[in-house]
C-alpha cells in the first residue's frame, strides 16, 4: 500500500550537510554579535574566597565580566521547583559555593572570541578549598536510595528470592564495574542568545526545543511565550543535550546584561563535568539455576555515583527486571554522592551498563553449567513481561537469536575458552541480548499543501543526525501522495507544534503518527475540494475511488481521470490548505509491555602474548518495529554498535582522586573507536511492525544499538583468552595480566 515507508531514501538534509549549508547553533550570523567564554572552577569543593576582575574588565573589547558578585539575582536562587528535570541545580553565579571541579563560576563577554578568551585568563581567583569526596568505595558507606529514578521503582522484589537461591544448584555471584564516560558529540554544546525587548530567542544545540524553552523561562522567571528556541541541526546529542545546562541560561543572562546578542560555545574540556556524563557503576549480580539451566533466583544491586547537588540515577536494573523468566528476584538502586558534576542520560542510560552486567553474568553461568550461552537464554526466554505481568506488544527476539546465530556462524564455536586459535591469535565468539523500552509521548504536527502543489509539514521535534527530517518526509509523502522532493519538513523550533524531547528513543514512535494524521486530514480536505469542484476532471466520482498520487488527485480505477493538486487549489482561489493534529498514546501501556529487542554476536581476536584485542566482526539482528527507512535505521544501529565497541574496549573518563579533575578531558586521551577499531558490522533489521504502539507500528531505534554488544564483546574476549574482565573497559593490560 505504501510506497515510501521503509524506502532507503537518501537523507533529505544530506546535501546541506556535505556543502556546509546546514547551520548549527554557533553558526547563525547576528549583527553586533558578542562572544562569551565560560570560566570554570579549579577546585572540587569549597568556595570562592576572592575574585579579582579589575584587570580583565579593562582589557580591550571586554563588555562584561559576570561572577557571583555582580550577576543578576534570579527568582528562587535560579532553582525553580518546576524546571525540568525536577530538582535541577544549575550553576548560575548566585553564590560562591563550589560543588565540583570545572563548575561554571564566571562568564566573560567581549567583541571577539580572542578578547574574551584573553580576559577570561586574567581573572584572579582564590578559593577556600575543602577536601572533596572523590573515592567511590569510601563514599559508598553513605549511599542512599533515590526517589523514583526516571519515574521507575527504586527497588523491586518478586517471588521468594531466598527460596529460589536455595533451589538452585549452580550459582554466579560477581561484581561488575563500569567507568565514568562522557558523551563527546562532535558538536560541543553551543548557545546564542538574542533579546528583543522582553523576548528571548535562543539558538541552542539541544535534543528538546520545548524542554529548553520551559527550563530557561522558568529559571529566568519569564513566560514560556517570551522564549523561542531554535535548533535545526544538532551535531550529536546522545543524552547530554537532553536538558538545558548552566551555560544556556548564563548565555541568556550575559546577552541581557550587555544588550548584545551573545554566543557561547563550550570548549572540549568543558564538556567534562558541567553537562553530564555517564556515572561510575558498581553492580553485584547473583544468579542461581538448576542443572538444566532453569533460572531459580536473580539479584541485582546497583550503586552509581551522583553529584552533591542532585540525584541522578543510572537505572542499571531495568533490563534485569524484564529480560528473563526468573520467578524470584530482587533489584535495588543506590546512589553514592561525589564532588563531580551531575551525571545524566547517556545513550541507553542503565540499559547499556545494566545489560553488560546481566549478560556477562549469564555468560559466566553458561560456563558453570557447561551449556551453550544462547541455549541458556532460550531456556529462560520470557514469553511475557515477568515484572509487569503483561504481554509484550510484540517480541521477535527468538527470531533475532536464530537469524543472528545463522548469519554469524555461531555453530563454529567450540565451548572451551582458548579452544579456537589461529597461530598466535586467540579467537573468541561471544553473544549478548539487546533491549530498550519502546517509548511514545504526545506529539503534534501541522501539514500544509501549498498553491504550487508542494507541501510543508512541521513539528517541533529534533534531528540529532539520526534522520528525523528524512523519515518524517517519507511518512508525509506517503500520506499526502506528494513526492518527497516536493515536501519540506520543518523541525527544531519551539514555535512549531509541540513534540517531545528526542530522548528515550521516542521521536519516531511519537512524531510519525502526528505527521501521518495531519497529512491524512489535509489530503482529505484536498480530495473533498476536488470532488465538489465542477471544473475538476475528478468531479463527482465515488469518494472511495479517489486517491492522491505523485501530486495528482486521481481515480483509482481509471488513471487517466486526474487533476493536478495545484489546479485544484488554483480553482479554489489559490490559497494553501492545512491541518493541525495532536496525537497521544491511549491506554495500551496499561495492557502491554513495550520493548525493542536484538541479538548481538561478536568475534574478537586476542594476541596470545600481548592481550591486544581486535573486534573482527559483529552481527546484530534487531526487532525494532516497522522500518520507516532501512538505510537510516541501519546507520543508527551501526552507530550504536560502534559506541558499544568504545564502551567495551576503550572509553572511560579518569577522575583525579585528589583534585577531582578529569585527566583525559580531550579527544586525544578520551578514546573512542576510530575506523581501524571497527571490524565488519553486519546489521539486520526484522521488519516486524509493533501492532500496538501507534498507527504505523513504528518504534524508535536510537538507543538499542549500544545494548547487548558490550557484553557480547567481553564474552568473546573471555572465550578467546579465558580471562574474565569484570571492570570496563576490557583493555589489554587486564587481559594479559589476567
Ligand atoms: Mo537519550 S540517553 O534519552 O538521548
Amino acid at each position: 500500500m505504501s510506497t515510501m515507508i521503509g524506502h532507503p531514501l537518501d537523507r533529505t538534509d544530506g546535501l546541506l550537510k556535505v556543502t556546509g549549508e546546514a547551520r548549527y547553533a554557533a553558526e547563525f550570523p547576528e549583527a553586533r554579535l558578542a562572544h562569551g567564554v565560560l570560566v570554570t572552577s579549579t577546585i572540587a569543593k569549597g568556595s570562592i574566597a576572592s575574585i579579582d576582575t579589575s584587570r580583565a574588565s579593562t582589557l580591550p573589547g571586554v563588555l562584561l565580566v559576570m561572577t557571583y558578585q555582580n550577576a543578576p539575582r534570579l527568582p528562587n536562587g535560579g532553582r525553580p521547583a518546576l524546571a525540568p528535570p525536577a530538582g535541577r541545580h544549575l550553576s548560575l553565579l548566585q553564590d560562591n559555593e563550589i560543588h565540583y571541579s570545572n563548575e561554571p563560576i564566571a562568564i566573560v563577554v567581549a567583541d571577539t572570541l580572542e578578547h574574551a578568551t584573553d580576559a577570561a585568563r586574567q581573572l584572579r581567583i582564590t578559593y577556600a578549598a575543602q577536601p572533596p569526596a572523590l573515592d567511590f568505595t569510601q563514599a559508598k558507606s553513605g549511599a542512599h536510595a533515590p526517589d523514583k529514578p526516571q519515574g521507575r521503582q527504586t527497588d523491586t522484589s518478586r517471588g521468594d528470592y531466598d527460596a529460589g537461591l536455595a533451589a538452585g544448584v549452580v550459582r554466579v555471584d560477581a561484581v561488575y564495574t563500569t567507568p565514568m564516560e562522557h558523551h563527546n558529540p562532535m558538536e560541543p554544546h553551543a548557545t546564542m542568545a538574542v533579546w528583543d525587548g522582553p523576548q528571548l530567542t535562543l539558538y541552542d544545540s539541544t535534543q528538546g526545543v520545548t524542554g529548553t524553552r520551559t527550563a530557561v523561562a522558568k529559571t529566568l522567571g519569564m513566560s514560556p511565550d517570551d522564549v523561542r528556541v531554535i535548533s535545526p541541526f544538532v551535531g550529536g546529542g546522545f543524552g547530554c543535550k537532553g536538558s538545558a545546562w548552566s551555560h544556556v541560561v548564563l548565555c541568556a543572562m550575559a546577552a541581557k546584561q550587555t544588550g548584545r546578542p551573545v554566543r557561547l560555545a563550550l570548549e572540549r574540556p568543558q564538556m567534562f563535568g558541567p553537562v553530564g556524563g555517564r556515572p561510575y557503576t558498581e553492580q553485584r549480580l547473583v544468579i542461581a539455576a538448576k542443572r538444566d539451566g532453569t533460572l531459580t533466583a536473580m539479584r541485582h544491586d546497583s550503586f552509581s555515583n551522583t553529584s552533591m547537588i542532585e540525584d541522578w540515577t543510572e537505572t542499571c536494573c531495568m533490563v534485569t527486571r524484564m529480560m528473563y523468566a526468573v520467578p524470584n528476584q530482587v533489584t535495588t538502586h543506590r546512589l553514592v554522592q561525589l564532588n563531580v558534576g551531575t551525571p545524566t542520560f547517556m545513550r541507553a542510560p542503565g540499559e547499556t551498563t545494566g545489560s553488560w552486567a546481566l549478560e556477562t553474568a549469564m555468560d559466566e553461568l553458561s560456563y558453570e553449567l557447561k551449556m551453550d550461552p544462547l541455549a541458556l537464554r532460550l531456556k529462560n526466554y520470557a514469553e511475557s513481561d515477568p515484572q509487569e505481568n503483561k504481554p509484550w506488544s510484540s517480541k521477535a527476539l527468538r527470531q533475532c537469536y536464530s537469524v543472528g546465530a545463522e548469519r554469524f556462524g555461531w555453530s563454529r564455536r567450540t565451548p572451551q575458552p582458548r579452544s579456537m586459535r589461529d597461530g598466535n591469535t586467540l579467537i573468541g565468539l561471544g553473544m549478548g541480548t539487546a533491549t530498550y523500552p519502546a517509548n511514545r509521548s504526545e506529539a503534534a504536527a501541522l501539514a500544509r499543501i501549498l498553491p504550487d502543489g508542494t507541501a510543508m509539514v512541521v513539528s517541533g521535534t529534533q534531528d540529532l543526525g539520526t534522520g528525523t527530517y528524512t523519515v518524517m518526509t517519507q511518512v508525509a509523502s506517503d500520506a499526502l501522495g506528494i513526492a518527497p522532493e516536493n515536501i519540506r519538513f520543518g523541525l527544531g523550533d519551539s514555535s512549531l507544534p509541540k513534540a517531545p524531547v528526542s530522548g528515550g528513543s521516542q521521536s519516531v514512535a511519537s512524531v510519525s503518527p502526528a505527521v501521518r494524521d495531519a497529512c491524512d486530514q489535509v489530503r482529505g480536505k484536498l480530495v473533498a475540494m476536488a470532488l465538489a469542484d465542477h471544473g475538476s476532471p475528478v468531479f463527482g466520482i465515488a469518494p472511495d475511488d479517489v486517491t492522491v498520487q505523485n501530486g495528482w488527485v486521481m481515480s483509482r480505477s481509471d488513471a487517466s481521470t486526474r487533476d493536478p493538486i495545484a489546479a485544484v487549489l488554483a480553482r479554489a482561489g489559490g490559497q494553501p490548505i492545512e491541518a493541525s493534529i495532536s496525537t497521544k498514546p491511549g491506554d495500551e501501556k496499561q495492557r502491554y509491555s513495550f520493548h525493542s529487542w536484538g541479538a548481538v554476536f561478536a568475534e574478537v581476536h586476542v594476541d596470545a602474548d600481548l592481550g591486544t584485542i581486535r573486534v573482527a566482526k559483529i552481527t546484530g539482528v534487531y526487532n525494532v518495529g516497522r522500518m520507516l527507512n532501512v538505510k537510516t535505521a541501519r546507520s543508527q544501529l551501526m552507530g550504536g554498535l560502534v559506541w558499544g565497541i568504545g564502551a567495551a574496549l576503550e572509553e572511560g573518563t579518569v577522575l583525579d582522586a585528589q583534585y577531582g579533575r578529569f585527566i583525559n578531558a580531550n579527544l586525544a586521551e578520551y578514546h573512542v573507536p576510530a575506523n581501524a577499531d571497527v571490524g565488519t558490522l553486519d546489521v539486520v533489521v526484522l521488519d516486524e511492525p509493533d501492532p500496538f504502539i501507534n498507527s504505523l507500528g513504528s518504534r524508535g531505534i536510537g538507543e538499542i544499538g549500544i545494548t547487548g554488544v558490550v557484553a557480547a564483546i567481553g564474552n568473546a574476549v573471555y572465550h578467546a583468552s579465558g580471562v574474565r574482565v569484570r571492570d570496563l573497559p576490557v583493555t589489554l593490560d587486564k587481559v594479559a595480566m589476567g
Side-chain angles (χ1 to χ4, degrees):
M1 61 166 237
S2 68
T3 52
M4 281 314 297
I5 303 286
H7 184 70
L9 186 71
D10 287 343
R11 286 172 193 268
T12 56
D13 54 339
L15 190 66
L16 289 178
K17 285 193 173 174
V18 298
T19 55
E21 292 292 314
R23 278 233 166 96
Y24 292 80
E27 298 178 331
F28 282 83
E30 192 67 43
R32 300 179 64 244
L33 181 66
H35 301 261
V37 166
L38 203 60
V39 180
T40 60
S41 70
T42 57
I43 65 161
K45 184 184 179 188
S47 56
I48 301 169
S50 68
I51 184 158
D52 178 359
T53 63
S54 54
R55 178 165 161 72
S57 309
T58 55
L59 287 171
V62 173
L63 299 165
L64 173 72
V65 180
M66 191 162 74
T67 72
Y68 78 94
Q69 291 163 324
N70 64 343
R73 299 298 108 173
L74 299 173
N76 200 28
R79 270 166 239 156
L82 295 173
R88 173 47 55 87
H89 182 131
L90 298 176
S91 302
L92 302 177
L93 318 183
Q94 301 297 295
D95 58 49
N96 65 340
E97 283 169 40
I98 308 289
H99 315 87
Y100 62 95
S101 183
N102 222 7
E103 180 170 2
I105 54 171
I107 178 171
V108 177
V109 181
D111 58 347
T112 67
L113 181 61
E114 290 76 11
H115 280 152
T117 304
D118 183 35
R121 289 198 185 122
Q122 304 297 332
L123 291 184
R124 295 286 167 257
I125 303 161
T126 61
Y127 298 95
Q130 293 165 20
L134 297 168
D135 185 318
F136 186 88
T137 310
Q138 214 170 24
K140 207 180 138 192
S141 58
H144 68 277
D147 181 30
K148 290 239 164 199
Q150 268 77 268
R152 313 292 288 272
Q153 283 177 272
T154 309
D155 300 344
T156 57
S157 173
R158 66 179 186 243
D160 183 338
Y161 173 72
D162 291 327
L165 202 59
V169 293
V170 179
R171 191 184 294 184
V172 165
D173 183 344
V175 174
Y176 305 89
T177 69
T178 67
M180 293 183 190
E181 297 171 353
H182 285 85
H183 307 71
N184 282 304
M186 289 288 279
E187 179 207 22
H189 293 251
T191 304
M192 186 167 79
V194 186
W195 288 90
D196 180 7
Q199 297 196 309
L200 171 64
T201 301
L202 289 168
Y203 299 84
D204 187 42
S205 184
T206 177
Q207 292 173 233
V209 288
T210 301
T212 295
R213 177 176 73 166
T214 309
V216 171
K218 292 216 158 135
T219 305
L220 294 177
M222 298 167 63
S223 160
D225 293 338
D226 286 335
V227 181
R228 181 177 174 195
V229 178
I230 296 173
S231 187
F233 295 97
V234 178
F238 314 119
C240 61
K241 294 173 183 169
S243 54
W245 298 97
S246 309
H247 66 277
V248 181
V249 181
L250 288 174
C251 186
M253 290 164 72
K256 183 99 180 168
Q257 288 299 106
T258 55
R260 304 257 300 246
V262 172
R263 172 189 293 162
L264 175 61
L266 297 195
E267 297 164 14
R268 183 60 61 176
Q270 294 176 338
M271 302 282 286
F272 291 75
V275 291
R278 203 192 294 280
Y280 179 86
T281 76
E282 184 182 295
Q283 306 172 58
R284 182 181 172 201
L285 257 293
V286 183
I287 310 180
K290 293 184 193 165
R291 189 41 72 197
D292 70 352
T294 306
L295 300 180
T296 58
M298 189 180 283
R299 183 176 181 103
H300 191 169
D301 297 298
S302 174
F303 291 81
S304 62
N305 79 270
T306 188
S307 65
M308 288 294 180
I309 44 182
E310 273 182 63
D311 274 5
W312 194 90
T313 310
E314 177 90 1
T315 46
C316 295
C317 301
M318 293 308 161
V319 174
T320 302
R321 290 174 185 173
M322 45 66 70
M323 184 56 85
Y324 296 110
V326 54
N328 309 301
Q329 188 184 77
V330 172
T331 72
T332 68
H333 293 100
R334 293 294 177 269
L335 281 179
V336 176
Q337 288 187 298
L338 297 179
N339 283 103
V340 297
T342 304
T344 194
F345 311 91
M346 178 160 158
R347 208 164 191 181
E351 285 82 8
T352 303
T353 41
S355 76
W356 172 67
L358 173 67
E359 291 294 279
T360 307
M362 287 293 280
D363 196 65
E364 298 206 44
L365 181 67
S366 76
Y367 286 93
E368 295 291 326
L369 290 162
K370 298 198 184 341
M371 188 171 181
D372 181 272
L374 177 50
L376 176 63
R377 266 88 174 173
L378 291 169
K379 180 89 190 168
N380 296 285
Y381 194 84
E383 301 291 353
S384 59
D385 186 328
Q387 184 65 33
E388 306 271 318
N389 291 311
K390 286 178 205 161
W392 308 112
S393 62
S394 123
K395 178 178 182 180
L397 178 58
R398 225 183 235 108
Q399 205 185 337
C400 296
Y401 284 137
S402 62
V403 172
E406 177 67 32
R407 291 181 75 96
F408 180 76
W410 183 247
S411 61
R412 76 199 139 105
R413 175 180 177 273
T414 53
Q416 272 299 107
R418 292 183 85 94
S419 63
M420 294 176 72
R421 171 165 203 146
D422 177 11
N424 207 38
T425 299
L426 304 169
I427 296 168
L429 308 185
M431 56 91 50
T433 312
T435 191
Y436 192 81
N439 296 313
R440 182 190 171 190
S441 298
E442 184 168 355
L446 179 148
R448 181 179 294 149
I449 300 177
L450 303 172
D452 65 358
T454 68
M456 192 195 77
V457 183
V458 293
S459 174
T461 181
Q462 300 75 213
D463 190 331
L464 319 181
T466 46
T468 315
Y469 279 112
T470 309
V471 299
M472 293 309 157
T473 300
Q474 291 175 262
V475 172
S477 167
D478 204 52
L480 289 170
I482 296 175
E485 59 270 24
N486 290 325
I487 294 172
R488 207 157 49 81
F489 189 82
L491 52 68
D493 186 335
S494 63
S495 66
L496 298 176
K498 198 173 148 191
V501 61
S502 289
S505 303
Q506 66 177 340
S507 285
V508 153
S510 308
V511 179
S512 62
V515 167
R516 176 148 105 173
D517 288 1
C519 291
D520 274 348
Q521 277 220 358
V522 74
R523 186 197 54 193
K525 286 186 186 176
L526 172 75
V527 167
M529 283 167 67
L531 291 187
D533 177 358
H534 291 263
S536 172
V538 300
F539 172 74
I541 70 173
D544 62 1
D545 186 37
V546 185
T547 182
V548 185
Q549 273 175 32
N550 206 19
W552 299 81
V553 182
M554 61 197 290
S555 159
R556 280 179 209 277
S557 54
D558 171 15
S560 67
T561 303
R562 59 181 195 171
D563 193 5
I565 292 174
V568 177
L569 293 187
R571 285 192 306 271
Q575 294 302 309
I577 53 173
E578 66 178 47
S580 185
I581 285 283
S582 185
T583 52
K584 60 181 175 190
D587 68 346
E588 61 272 11
K589 268 229 147 128
Q590 272 78 61
R591 290 178 288 128
Y592 299 97
S593 183
F594 289 85
H595 289 267
S596 283
W597 309 95
V600 188
F601 298 83
E603 175 178 339
V604 303
H605 295 170
V606 178
D607 184 284
D609 298 319
L610 302 173
T612 46
I613 304 159
R614 288 277 161 210
V615 176
K617 180 176 185 176
I618 299 175
T619 297
V621 180
Y622 298 93
N623 162 212
V624 286
R626 182 194 213 182
M627 285 297 84
L628 296 184
N629 180 323
V630 289
K631 190 173 174 179
T632 53
R634 285 186 74 249
S635 292
Q636 234 182 319
L637 290 163
M638 287 167 74
L641 290 176
V642 172
W643 267 67
I645 295 171
L649 303 178
E650 302 181 39
E651 286 184 62
T653 320
V654 182
L655 182 65
D656 177 285
Q658 193 172 359
Y659 298 107
R661 283 246 139 185
F662 291 117
I663 296 169
N664 54 342
N666 58 72
L667 287 182
E669 294 164 296
Y670 185 92
H671 285 183
V672 296
N675 278 327
D677 299 315
V678 181
T680 303
L681 300 182
D682 177 29
V683 172
V684 179
V685 181
L686 307 177
D687 197 359
E688 284 269 326
D690 182 329
F692 300 109
I693 191 156
N694 58 31
S695 56
L696 287 100
S698 56
R699 298 182 193 146
I701 46 181
E703 285 161 280
I704 188 173
I706 193 179
T707 71
V709 55
V710 187
I713 293 169
N715 294 341
V717 170
Y718 176 74
H719 182 243
S721 66
V723 180
R724 180 66 72 178
V725 178
R726 299 191 182 89
D727 305 291
L728 287 181
V730 181
T731 46
L732 77 172
D733 52 316
K734 297 172 190 168
V735 174
M737 302 302 282

